Amino acid sequence: MKHLDIIVKGKVQGVFFRKSTKAVADQLGVKGFVKNEGNGDVFIAAEADTTTMDMFLDWCKEGPEDATVTSIESHEGELKNYRNFEVVKK
């Protein structure tokens, strides 16, 4: 298992990015959360095995249909052992 903090930049708010991220995370078995940042980015904390995480990251680079992802940053972090995947609202 590994933990990644992922920052997605581009047109990623107001395009159902968080809801779509949760659907994909639930389908793949990724645990963690997704939230909008004040600067227009989307922040994702994700935990999964390496293979699953690679598939999840591939999806994050595209996002949902109306999103335009310009870049993605990911940093490994400490495992938090999340129980599920949640959408965090402000």
Side-chain angles (χ1 to χ4, degrees), residues 4-86:
L4 284 183
D5 291 326
I6 305 163
I7 297 167
V8 186
K9 298 178 178 292
K11 182 185 163 203
V12 291
Q13 291 191 11
V15 293
F16 298 102
F17 202 99
R18 291 177 301 169
K19 186 176 179 183
S20 301
T21 302
K22 176 171 171 42
V24 171
D26 287 348
Q27 194 175 19
L28 292 173
V30 176
K31 311 291 186 205
F33 66 87
V34 58
K35 67 177 184 173
N36 283 343
E37 297 283 35
N39 64 0
D41 296 345
V42 167
F43 176 83
I44 305 166
E47 293 185 351
D49 62 65
T50 304
T51 307
T52 303
M53 192 67 85
D54 288 345
M55 289 190 286
F56 185 65
L57 277 171
D58 284 345
W59 182 86
C60 289
K61 289 172 187 165
E62 298 295 319
E65 191 179 342
D66 293 333
T68 307
V69 176
T70 54
S71 70
I72 184 170
E73 296 171 22
S74 64
H75 308 280
E76 277 202 49
E78 193 178 317
L79 275 176
K80 307 276 198 300
N81 296 311
Y82 297 111
R83 292 172 184 229
N84 54 14
F85 196 91
E86 295 182 8

